[in-house]
Amino acid sequence: MIRIQLGADGLARSRFALSPVSETVNMLLAAANGDLPAPLRPRLRETIAARRLDLLAALLNVEADAGHYIPDFLTPQPTRYEGDTAEELHAVATTPTWRVAGELAVAVEGELAKTVGRTLPRKLTETDERETSERLAKELEQVWLHVLAPEWPRVRARMEADVDERLRILGKHGFGAAIDTLGPKIDWHDGSVRVRGRFEVDVPEPALVFLPSVFITRAATVIDPVVRYQPPADNNADADSRPNHDRRAAMLFFYPVLRSTPGTPPEPPRPGELIGWTRARILAAVAAPATTGEVAGRLRLSPSTVSYHLQILHRAGLVRRTREVRSVLYQSTRAEG
């Protein structure tokens, strides 16, 4: 049994959230387990084959009678009620290299590989950790854009209806009663969320983020770490290589939406829905030609963040770039035409 020790303070800080990137991962896991709704299957197969999403295909290969493990860095915690797709993908791409190496090593050859009954293809650890995280972020983005994003208004509506129902229960009977409805093996007892299963562990946490999913069939939680990463002996080592034991501000807890929850009509697509709100703001900022630094100053974002998103917008054909003396200017192709 997993006991997530929250206490009253941790429970007060806990919240519900929606995550486009985590739900993309949940959709891929559903496909690997044979649980993906039929209308999405051909679209996902075509996307993985046509766009050669090799790392995701290897990572999400689920063998018969074996468990599965998804590295925690592929499901970044949403910073607000509804996570921004671009921000979450950026978090995946820029995961510290020590964490990428550690989590993949656990899955490929560590104790967790023995527990779930399979090992992952070694191609996942044969490339540089930074390249691996960036490639996985790009591959996740392709699945999001071509498979889940067109369905997101309907998916979001079901998830929001579920959150509304949980909050109704919370308002009438308290948070403990709401937690008890998350699954048959989940309950609130003596200051802890208990998850009955084959693991036996107590995990103290400052808070939980509860994420509904339309694709999973049973609750799952992120527990970290399976192995402890030791800091390098050299105190002058690159900060990116140093483990941070405070992996997340709070643990993520995924649970299936109530099947009987009344749905609400899907909202019409909102601006920036497919490309994410951060990229939508950047795209608007280059209606007239501008440099990376100018966009960063205007939007109060770091130049590295703006550069990362501009590269993706350029690859997608949404912006063009030209060189003027020593500066590179970006401009929305929509603004030109």
Side-chain angles (χ1 to χ4, degrees):
M1 178 183 293
I2 300 172
R3 287 171 290 272
I4 306 167
Q5 301 166 353
L6 288 174
D9 289 344
L11 193 62
R13 285 189 291 266
S14 297
R15 61 190 175 92
F16 290 90
L18 312 181
S19 169
V21 169
S22 291
E23 192 65 347
T24 301
V25 173
N26 288 333
M27 179 184 69
L28 288 164
L29 281 172
N33 284 310
D35 297 327
L36 188 67
L40 294 179
R41 293 174 198 166
R43 194 188 309 169
L44 179 59
R45 281 197 301 268
E46 291 166 8
T47 298
I48 290 177
R51 300 180 184 280
R52 302 187 63 182
L53 309 184
D54 298 334
L55 286 188
L56 277 181
L59 186 64
L60 293 160
N61 175 45
V62 177
E63 300 171 7
D65 301 320
H68 63 262
Y69 167 70
I70 294 299
D72 296 349
F73 72 86
L74 290 184
T75 54
Q77 181 185 141
T79 57
R80 55 181 71 89
Y81 171 66
E82 182 174 348
D84 180 274
T85 310
E87 287 181 5
E88 292 184 354
L89 289 168
H90 183 246
V92 173
T94 57
T95 304
T97 54
W98 66 263
R99 182 176 166 193
V100 176
E103 291 183 4
L104 288 178
V106 168
V108 172
E109 56 192 14
E111 289 301 316
L112 188 58
K114 300 174 186 176
T115 301
V116 301
R118 71 184 181 99
T119 58
L120 295 176
R122 291 190 175 274
K123 69 165 60 176
L124 287 163
T125 56
E126 289 174 352
T127 58
D128 173 77
E129 288 86 0
R130 173 58 62 234
E131 180 185 348
T132 297
S133 62
E134 290 178 351
R135 279 188 61 189
L136 283 168
K138 290 175 183 175
E139 291 187 10
L140 276 173
E141 181 178 40
Q142 292 301 308
V143 176
W144 159 256
L145 287 174
H146 298 285
V147 185
L148 185 54
E151 307 297 325
W152 187 245
R154 285 181 287 276
V155 169
R156 187 206 306 114
R158 289 187 61 193
M159 295 162 78
E160 289 189 323
D162 179 274
V163 172
D164 288 344
E165 177 63 14
R166 308 290 178 179
L167 293 177
R168 186 190 67 79
I169 296 170
L170 186 155
K172 286 189 172 184
H173 306 290
F175 219 136
I179 289 172
D180 289 346
T181 67
L182 297 179
K185 295 184 178 181
I186 315 298
D187 67 10
W188 172 258
H189 177 76
D190 196 22
S192 298
V193 177
R194 301 190 304 182
V195 184
R196 289 182 288 281
R198 55 183 165 175
F199 291 102
E200 188 67 31
V201 62
D202 291 277
V203 187
E205 282 291 330
L208 272 176
V209 179
F210 294 97
L211 297 166
S213 172
V214 304
F215 295 113
I216 66 175
T217 57
R218 60 183 179 181
T221 186
V222 173
I223 55 173
D224 176 76
V226 175
V227 294
R228 296 285 176 183
Y229 310 118
Q230 297 300 319
D234 180 7
N235 290 331
N236 296 320
D238 183 358
D240 188 49
S241 68
R242 293 197 189 104
N244 178 358
H245 289 280
D246 295 327
R247 175 186 49 80
R248 299 180 190 266
M251 183 184 292
L252 300 183
F253 192 101
F254 300 96
Y255 69 90
V257 298
L258 290 166
R259 302 302 173 185
S260 59
T261 300
T264 57
E267 303 172 14
R270 295 179 288 179
E273 184 121 88
L274 297 184
I275 62 173
W277 296 107
T278 300
R279 285 181 202 157
R281 292 174 63 210
I282 292 173
L283 191 60
V286 292
T291 66
T292 298
E294 289 169 343
V295 175
R298 198 176 307 160
L299 300 182
R300 297 185 180 182
L301 297 171
S302 70
S304 63
T305 295
V306 172
S307 176
Y308 170 82
H309 293 306
L310 281 172
Q311 290 175 34
I312 292 173
L313 291 169
H314 179 259
R315 288 198 298 270
L318 296 175
V319 301
R320 67 183 294 268
R321 59 188 177 196
T322 56
R323 181 170 291 278
E324 187 175 285
V325 191
R326 295 185 178 180
S327 299
V328 176
L329 299 176
Y330 291 86
Q331 183 177 16
S332 165
T333 54
R334 184 168 48 186
E336 295 176 320

